[in-house]
Amino acid sequence: MSGYKPGLVEIAQYFAGRANRLDDEAKLQKIFDNPADRGDAKEVILQGFLEDHLPKRCAIIRGGFIFDSFGNKSGQVDLLVTSEFTLQFNQTVGKRETKSFNCVEGTIAAISVNSKLDKENLCKAIDNLATLPRAKEYFMNPYDQMTDELVKQTPFKIIFAYSGVDLTAFMRYLKEHIKTRKLSIEQAPDLIIVNNQYYVAKKQEGHFSRTIGDTSATGSYLYAWGTNYIGGLALLLMVSTIQRLSNLGSLVMLNFLNYQEQIRLSVINDFKAELLDAKELFADE
Protein backbone atom coordinates (compact mmCIF):
# COMPACT_ATOMS: atom_id res chain seq x y z
CA MET A 1 0.00 0.00 0.00
CA SER A 2 1.69 3.23 -1.16
CA GLY A 3 1.46 5.88 1.59
CA TYR A 4 -0.65 5.47 4.69
CA LYS A 5 -4.01 7.17 4.24
CA PRO A 6 -6.01 6.49 7.41
CA GLY A 7 -9.36 7.64 6.06
CA LEU A 8 -9.20 5.30 3.07
CA VAL A 9 -7.83 2.46 5.19
CA GLU A 10 -10.79 2.72 7.55
CA ILE A 11 -13.28 2.70 4.66
CA ALA A 12 -11.56 -0.37 3.20
CA GLN A 13 -11.64 -2.10 6.58
CA TYR A 14 -15.27 -1.17 7.10
CA PHE A 15 -16.47 -2.69 3.83
CA ALA A 16 -14.26 -5.75 4.29
CA GLY A 17 -15.93 -6.19 7.67
CA ARG A 18 -19.37 -5.88 6.07
CA ALA A 19 -18.43 -8.55 3.52
CA ASN A 20 -17.44 -10.87 6.38
CA ARG A 21 -20.68 -10.04 8.15
CA LEU A 22 -22.69 -11.03 5.07
CA ASP A 23 -20.92 -14.40 5.10
CA ASP A 24 -21.61 -14.89 8.81
CA GLU A 25 -25.29 -14.02 8.49
CA ALA A 26 -25.66 -16.32 5.47
CA LYS A 27 -24.12 -19.24 7.37
CA LEU A 28 -26.74 -18.88 10.08
CA GLN A 29 -29.44 -19.65 7.52
CA LYS A 30 -28.33 -23.30 7.36
CA ILE A 31 -30.68 -23.97 10.28
CA PHE A 32 -33.60 -23.79 7.82
CA ASP A 33 -34.51 -27.15 6.30
CA ASN A 34 -36.41 -25.64 3.39
CA PRO A 35 -34.10 -24.38 0.58
CA ALA A 36 -36.71 -21.75 -0.35
CA ASP A 37 -36.58 -20.34 3.20
CA ARG A 38 -32.79 -20.21 3.07
CA GLY A 39 -32.94 -18.45 -0.29
CA ASP A 40 -35.45 -15.88 0.96
CA ALA A 41 -33.33 -15.21 4.03
CA LYS A 42 -30.22 -14.55 1.95
CA GLU A 43 -32.14 -12.08 -0.19
CA VAL A 44 -33.23 -10.27 2.97
CA ILE A 45 -29.61 -10.17 4.23
CA LEU A 46 -28.40 -8.42 1.06
CA GLN A 47 -31.46 -6.18 1.07
CA GLY A 48 -30.53 -5.06 4.57
CA PHE A 49 -26.97 -4.26 3.50
CA LEU A 50 -28.22 -2.15 0.61
CA GLU A 51 -30.69 -0.30 2.83
CA ASP A 52 -27.82 0.53 5.20
CA HIS A 53 -25.72 2.11 2.45
CA LEU A 54 -27.79 3.47 -0.43
CA PRO A 55 -29.32 6.98 -0.41
CA LYS A 56 -32.82 7.34 1.01
CA ARG A 57 -34.06 8.16 -2.47
CA CYS A 58 -33.54 4.49 -3.38
CA ALA A 59 -36.13 1.88 -2.50
CA ILE A 60 -34.86 -1.70 -2.19
CA ILE A 61 -37.71 -4.12 -2.72
CA ARG A 62 -38.05 -7.87 -2.93
CA GLY A 63 -38.31 -8.52 -6.59
CA GLY A 64 -41.02 -9.54 -8.88
CA PHE A 65 -40.71 -8.53 -12.51
CA ILE A 66 -39.81 -5.48 -14.58
CA PHE A 67 -42.12 -4.31 -17.37
CA ASP A 68 -42.22 -1.65 -20.07
CA SER A 69 -44.98 0.28 -21.86
CA PHE A 70 -44.81 -2.06 -24.87
CA GLY A 71 -46.07 -4.99 -22.82
CA ASN A 72 -42.69 -6.70 -22.33
CA LYS A 73 -42.01 -8.37 -19.00
CA SER A 74 -38.86 -9.83 -17.44
CA GLY A 75 -38.47 -13.02 -15.47
CA GLN A 76 -38.65 -12.76 -11.68
CA VAL A 77 -35.73 -10.84 -10.16
CA ASP A 78 -34.73 -11.26 -6.51
CA LEU A 79 -34.09 -7.60 -5.58
CA LEU A 80 -34.98 -4.35 -7.32
CA VAL A 81 -33.56 -0.92 -6.54
CA THR A 82 -36.03 1.71 -7.67
CA SER A 83 -36.01 5.49 -7.93
CA GLU A 84 -37.89 7.88 -5.67
CA PHE A 85 -39.55 9.31 -8.79
CA THR A 86 -41.19 6.11 -9.97
CA LEU A 87 -44.61 4.77 -9.08
CA GLN A 88 -44.48 2.02 -6.46
CA PHE A 89 -46.50 -1.19 -6.46
CA ASN A 90 -46.14 -2.33 -2.86
CA GLN A 91 -48.64 -4.63 -1.16
CA THR A 92 -48.85 -5.92 2.38
CA VAL A 93 -50.52 -9.14 3.51
CA GLY A 94 -50.88 -8.97 7.28
CA LYS A 95 -47.56 -7.58 8.50
CA ARG A 96 -45.55 -9.00 5.63
CA GLU A 97 -44.76 -7.15 2.43
CA THR A 98 -45.31 -9.22 -0.70
CA LYS A 99 -42.91 -9.24 -3.61
CA SER A 100 -43.32 -6.24 -5.85
CA PHE A 101 -42.60 -5.13 -9.42
CA ASN A 102 -41.77 -1.94 -11.27
CA CYS A 103 -41.38 -0.33 -14.66
CA VAL A 104 -38.06 -0.30 -16.48
CA GLU A 105 -37.82 3.50 -16.36
CA GLY A 106 -38.03 3.52 -12.56
CA THR A 107 -35.67 0.62 -11.87
CA ILE A 108 -32.06 1.55 -11.14
CA ALA A 109 -30.69 -1.95 -10.54
CA ALA A 110 -31.85 -5.56 -10.76
CA ILE A 111 -30.04 -8.08 -8.55
CA SER A 112 -29.97 -11.86 -8.71
CA VAL A 113 -29.02 -13.42 -5.35
CA ASN A 114 -27.48 -16.89 -5.18
CA SER A 115 -26.25 -19.09 -2.36
CA LYS A 116 -23.58 -20.65 -4.60
CA LEU A 117 -22.66 -19.55 -8.11
CA ASP A 118 -21.84 -22.73 -9.98
CA LYS A 119 -22.21 -23.15 -13.74
CA GLU A 120 -25.93 -23.91 -13.62
CA ASN A 121 -26.83 -21.00 -11.35
CA LEU A 122 -24.60 -18.60 -13.28
CA CYS A 123 -26.25 -19.49 -16.58
CA LYS A 124 -29.75 -19.19 -15.09
CA ALA A 125 -28.94 -15.79 -13.57
CA ILE A 126 -27.45 -14.46 -16.82
CA ASP A 127 -30.42 -15.66 -18.87
CA ASN A 128 -32.92 -14.21 -16.40
CA LEU A 129 -31.30 -10.76 -16.31
CA ALA A 130 -31.08 -10.82 -20.11
CA THR A 131 -34.91 -10.75 -20.18
CA LEU A 132 -35.02 -7.23 -18.70
CA PRO A 133 -36.81 -4.82 -21.06
CA ARG A 134 -34.54 -2.09 -22.43
CA ALA A 135 -36.97 0.33 -24.15
CA LYS A 136 -37.77 3.34 -21.98
CA GLU A 137 -40.20 6.25 -22.18
CA TYR A 138 -38.69 9.40 -20.69
CA PHE A 139 -37.89 13.04 -21.37
CA MET A 140 -34.49 14.66 -20.93
CA ASN A 141 -32.28 17.46 -22.18
CA PRO A 142 -31.44 16.51 -25.80
CA TYR A 143 -27.98 18.09 -25.41
CA ASP A 144 -27.08 16.07 -22.32
CA GLN A 145 -25.38 13.06 -23.91
CA MET A 146 -23.77 11.78 -20.69
CA THR A 147 -27.12 11.45 -18.93
CA ASP A 148 -28.52 9.64 -21.96
CA GLU A 149 -25.66 7.12 -21.82
CA LEU A 150 -26.25 6.54 -18.09
CA VAL A 151 -29.98 6.01 -18.63
CA LYS A 152 -29.16 3.33 -21.20
CA GLN A 153 -27.18 1.47 -18.51
CA THR A 154 -30.23 1.04 -16.28
CA PRO A 155 -31.41 -1.24 -14.90
CA PHE A 156 -27.86 -2.13 -13.80
CA LYS A 157 -27.69 -5.94 -13.83
CA ILE A 158 -25.98 -7.50 -10.80
CA ILE A 159 -25.40 -11.12 -9.83
CA PHE A 160 -24.44 -11.60 -6.18
CA ALA A 161 -23.46 -14.92 -4.61
CA TYR A 162 -22.29 -15.90 -1.14
CA SER A 163 -19.93 -18.53 -2.60
CA GLY A 164 -18.93 -19.87 -5.98
CA VAL A 165 -16.63 -21.92 -8.16
CA ASP A 166 -13.00 -20.84 -8.54
CA LEU A 167 -12.31 -17.83 -10.75
CA THR A 168 -10.72 -19.80 -13.60
CA ALA A 169 -13.76 -22.02 -14.01
CA PHE A 170 -16.08 -19.05 -13.55
CA MET A 171 -14.50 -17.01 -16.35
CA ARG A 172 -14.70 -20.03 -18.67
CA TYR A 173 -18.40 -20.50 -17.90
CA LEU A 174 -19.10 -16.77 -18.34
CA LYS A 175 -17.36 -16.58 -21.72
CA GLU A 176 -18.92 -19.79 -23.02
CA HIS A 177 -22.44 -18.85 -22.03
CA ILE A 178 -22.40 -15.30 -23.39
CA LYS A 179 -21.00 -16.52 -26.71
CA THR A 180 -23.34 -19.54 -26.92
CA ARG A 181 -26.43 -17.45 -26.16
CA LYS A 182 -25.17 -14.68 -28.48
CA LEU A 183 -26.02 -12.00 -25.93
CA SER A 184 -25.54 -8.33 -26.72
CA ILE A 185 -23.43 -6.06 -24.52
CA GLU A 186 -26.65 -4.58 -23.13
CA GLN A 187 -28.04 -8.01 -22.18
CA ALA A 188 -24.91 -9.29 -20.43
CA PRO A 189 -24.56 -8.77 -16.65
CA ASP A 190 -22.84 -5.57 -15.52
CA LEU A 191 -21.39 -6.74 -12.21
CA ILE A 192 -20.92 -10.19 -10.71
CA ILE A 193 -19.80 -10.62 -7.10
CA VAL A 194 -18.85 -13.84 -5.36
CA ASN A 195 -18.49 -12.53 -1.84
CA ASN A 196 -14.94 -12.52 -0.46
CA GLN A 197 -13.65 -14.44 -3.51
CA TYR A 198 -13.71 -12.21 -6.61
CA TYR A 199 -15.76 -9.79 -8.66
CA VAL A 200 -16.23 -9.25 -12.39
CA ALA A 201 -17.24 -5.82 -13.71
CA LYS A 202 -18.22 -4.83 -17.25
CA LYS A 203 -16.87 -1.62 -18.72
CA GLN A 204 -19.69 0.77 -19.59
CA GLU A 205 -19.87 3.30 -22.41
CA GLY A 206 -17.93 6.43 -21.45
CA HIS A 207 -16.56 4.90 -18.26
CA PHE A 208 -12.84 5.31 -17.51
CA SER A 209 -11.10 2.92 -15.13
CA ARG A 210 -7.66 3.63 -13.73
CA THR A 211 -7.27 -0.11 -13.26
CA ILE A 212 -7.76 -1.13 -16.90
CA GLY A 213 -7.38 2.28 -18.57
CA ASP A 214 -9.60 3.74 -21.26
CA THR A 215 -8.22 1.64 -24.12
CA SER A 216 -10.38 -1.40 -23.40
CA ALA A 217 -13.55 -1.76 -25.47
CA THR A 218 -17.01 -1.18 -24.01
CA GLY A 219 -18.28 -4.53 -22.77
CA SER A 220 -14.84 -5.73 -21.65
CA TYR A 221 -14.81 -7.43 -18.25
CA LEU A 222 -12.39 -6.62 -15.45
CA TYR A 223 -12.05 -9.54 -13.03
CA ALA A 224 -10.39 -8.97 -9.68
CA TRP A 225 -9.23 -11.23 -6.84
CA GLY A 226 -6.29 -11.91 -4.54
CA THR A 227 -6.65 -9.55 -1.58
CA ASN A 228 -8.28 -9.79 1.84
CA TYR A 229 -10.14 -6.62 0.87
CA ILE A 230 -11.71 -8.08 -2.28
CA GLY A 231 -15.13 -8.56 -0.67
CA GLY A 232 -15.18 -4.99 0.59
CA LEU A 233 -14.01 -3.57 -2.73
CA ALA A 234 -16.77 -5.43 -4.54
CA LEU A 235 -19.47 -4.18 -2.16
CA LEU A 236 -18.18 -0.62 -2.42
CA LEU A 237 -18.22 -0.85 -6.21
CA MET A 238 -21.81 -2.12 -6.13
CA VAL A 239 -23.24 0.59 -3.87
CA SER A 240 -21.17 3.36 -5.49
CA THR A 241 -22.43 2.44 -8.95
CA ILE A 242 -26.06 2.26 -7.83
CA GLN A 243 -25.66 5.59 -6.00
CA ARG A 244 -24.21 7.16 -9.17
CA LEU A 245 -27.11 5.93 -11.29
CA SER A 246 -29.65 7.04 -8.69
CA ASN A 247 -28.66 10.65 -9.43
CA LEU A 248 -30.43 10.33 -12.76
CA GLY A 249 -33.84 10.71 -11.14
CA SER A 250 -33.53 14.49 -10.90
CA LEU A 251 -32.34 14.81 -14.52
CA VAL A 252 -34.86 12.60 -16.30
CA MET A 253 -38.64 13.10 -16.35
CA LEU A 254 -40.37 9.74 -16.42
CA ASN A 255 -43.45 9.48 -18.61
CA PHE A 256 -46.07 7.25 -16.97
CA LEU A 257 -48.94 8.66 -19.02
CA ASN A 258 -47.83 6.45 -21.88
CA TYR A 259 -48.58 3.36 -19.75
CA GLN A 260 -52.15 4.52 -19.20
CA GLU A 261 -52.55 5.22 -22.90
CA GLN A 262 -51.12 1.86 -23.96
CA ILE A 263 -53.33 -0.02 -21.50
CA ARG A 264 -56.41 1.83 -22.72
CA LEU A 265 -55.64 1.12 -26.37
CA SER A 266 -54.35 -2.44 -26.25
CA VAL A 267 -55.81 -4.14 -23.16
CA ILE A 268 -59.26 -2.76 -22.39
CA ASN A 269 -61.85 -3.61 -25.03
CA ASP A 270 -64.94 -2.01 -23.47
CA PHE A 271 -63.45 1.41 -22.73
CA LYS A 272 -65.80 4.26 -23.71
CA ALA A 273 -65.09 8.00 -23.76
CA GLU A 274 -66.67 11.13 -25.13
CA LEU A 275 -65.48 14.73 -25.31
CA LEU A 276 -67.22 17.62 -23.58
CA ASP A 277 -65.97 20.67 -25.46
CA ALA A 278 -64.67 23.56 -23.37
CA LYS A 279 -66.78 25.96 -25.41
CA GLU A 280 -69.88 24.44 -23.86
CA LEU A 281 -68.58 25.14 -20.36
CA PHE A 282 -66.56 28.35 -20.47
CA ALA A 283 -68.26 31.12 -22.36
CA ASP A 284 -65.32 33.51 -22.30
CA GLU A 285 -62.71 31.04 -23.49
Side-chain angles (χ1 to χ4, degrees):
M1 188 178 294
S2 59
Y4 182 69
K5 300 178 180 179
L8 295 180
V9 170
E10 290 184 4
I11 293 174
Q13 291 174 340
Y14 170 80
F15 277 101
R18 291 304 299 248
N20 292 334
R21 181 171 159 184
L22 286 175
D23 278 346
D24 292 339
E25 292 178 348
K27 290 174 183 176
L28 291 175
Q29 307 313 312
K30 292 181 179 179
I31 63 174
F32 293 109
D33 295 328
N34 189 337
D37 290 337
R38 291 197 297 269
D40 286 348
K42 290 180 179 180
E43 291 174 16
V44 172
I45 291 170
L46 186 60
Q47 181 184 23
F49 169 81
L50 294 171
E51 289 173 343
D52 286 345
H53 295 88
L54 291 177
K56 296 299 183 185
R57 61 175 172 265
C58 297
I60 300 93
I61 58 179
R62 299 286 301 284
F65 57 87
I66 299 172
F67 60 91
D68 65 18
S69 61
F70 299 96
N72 300 308
K73 172 183 169 183
S74 74
Q76 180 165 308
V77 182
D78 297 320
L79 295 176
L80 303 179
V81 181
T82 63
S83 163
E84 65 177 331
F85 295 98
T86 186
L87 297 176
Q88 296 292 338
F89 303 88
N90 301 321
Q91 301 180 72
T92 302
V93 178
K95 294 183 178 180
R96 185 176 181 180
E97 288 189 0
T98 62
K99 292 191 175 184
S100 189
F101 52 90
N102 216 290
C103 63
V104 65
E105 294 90 348
T107 305
I108 302 168
I111 307 173
S112 172
V113 183
N114 297 265
S115 294
K116 182 175 182 179
L117 203 60
D118 54 18
K119 182 177 181 179
E120 180 181 2
N121 288 331
L122 173 64
C123 294
K124 285 182 178 179
I126 291 174
D127 288 345
N128 191 47
L129 291 178
T131 67
L132 267 59
R134 306 301 299 177
K136 305 177 182 76
E137 293 283 340
Y138 62 91
F139 302 108
M140 60 170 289
N141 186 335
Y143 301 104
D144 188 353
Q145 295 300 316
M146 177 166 285
T147 297
D148 191 43
E149 288 299 332
L150 288 173
V151 170
K152 290 177 181 177
Q153 295 172 23
T154 59
F156 196 73
K157 300 175 294 302
I158 302 170
I159 300 173
F160 180 91
Y162 290 91
S163 65
V165 297
D166 66 81
L167 181 58
T168 301
F170 173 86
M171 293 306 298
R172 183 171 71 252
Y173 300 152
L174 176 68
K175 182 178 179 180
E176 288 175 355
H177 194 67
I178 289 177
K179 293 185 72 174
T180 300
R181 297 281 285 112
K182 297 181 180 179
L183 300 179
S184 66
I185 292 176
E186 292 76 18
Q187 290 176 309
D190 298 302
L191 177 63
I192 305 172
I193 297 172
V194 177
N195 195 40
N196 277 331
Q197 288 184 241
Y198 50 83
Y199 71 85
V200 180
K202 186 176 73 180
K203 183 180 179 183
Q204 305 292 337
E205 180 70 32
H207 176 67
F208 173 79
S209 169
R210 293 182 180 179
T211 306
I212 57 177
D214 61 349
T215 58
S216 58
T218 298
S220 300
Y221 279 103
L222 166 71
Y223 48 101
W225 75 100
T227 169
N228 292 333
Y229 290 100
I230 195 66
L233 288 172
L235 294 178
L236 178 56
L237 177 60
M238 176 170 62
V239 295
S240 297
T241 303
I242 296 174
Q243 181 275 330
R244 176 171 174 256
L245 294 173
S246 73
N247 293 325
L248 292 170
S250 60
L251 302 174
V252 177
M253 186 172 74
L254 303 185
N255 176 20
F256 292 104
L257 292 177
N258 191 53
Y259 282 92
Q260 195 270 353
E261 182 73 4
Q262 290 297 326
I263 290 172
R264 184 177 66 81
L265 294 175
S266 61
V267 177
I268 302 175
N269 297 321
D270 55 354
F271 181 85
K272 296 180 176 63
E274 292 185 9
L275 178 68
L276 176 58
D277 197 296
K279 294 177 181 179
E280 300 180 37
L281 296 173
F282 310 106
D284 296 332
E285 295 296 324

